[in-house]
Amino acid sequence: MMSSEPSELDKKIQSAAELSQQITNALKETSTKKLEQSSEEFNSIIKNNESEEEERTLQADIKREARRDQIRKQWKRY
């Protein structure tokens, strides 16, 4: 009774296993793409924050120097 040909159940099991592997591969690919996209977005946010911080520092330096000049001018009057 033993046949070398796979039974219908064996075929369905094999088909399910292949489908499961395809789903796993698709999920891995999607996860990798999402991770790369999230990483790029995160790096962009960090870069923007650094640029904004540099701009604020520069503006503060300009204001500080303007205030120093103003104080120097007042002192020169006396």
Side-chain angles (χ1 to χ4, degrees):
M1 278 262 178
M2 294 288 276
S3 162
S4 63
E5 190 143 330
S7 69
E8 197 61 35
L9 180 59
D10 290 335
K11 290 178 185 177
K12 287 182 180 180
I13 290 171
Q14 180 62 32
S15 176
E18 289 170 0
L19 185 58
S20 176
Q21 188 61 49
Q22 289 174 351
I23 291 169
T24 300
N25 291 343
L27 287 172
K28 284 181 184 177
E29 185 178 330
T30 301
S31 296
T32 300
K33 287 179 181 176
K34 283 287 187 188
L35 180 61
E36 289 171 356
Q37 180 183 359
S38 295
S39 179
E40 288 174 7
E41 290 172 1
F42 182 68
N43 288 336
S44 176
I45 290 169
I46 289 174
K47 193 172 186 175
N48 287 341
N49 286 347
E50 289 172 348
S51 295
E52 288 173 6
E53 184 177 344
E54 288 173 10
E55 180 65 26
R56 283 192 301 272
T57 301
L58 180 60
Q59 291 296 326
D61 289 346
I62 291 169
K63 286 179 183 177
R64 204 171 15 260
E65 194 58 39
R67 181 72 180 132
R68 285 184 187 140
D69 287 345
Q70 188 179 33
I71 291 170
R72 283 187 198 111
K73 287 177 185 175
Q74 288 175 356
W75 273 100
K76 286 181 181 180
R77 288 183 195 163
Y78 295 109

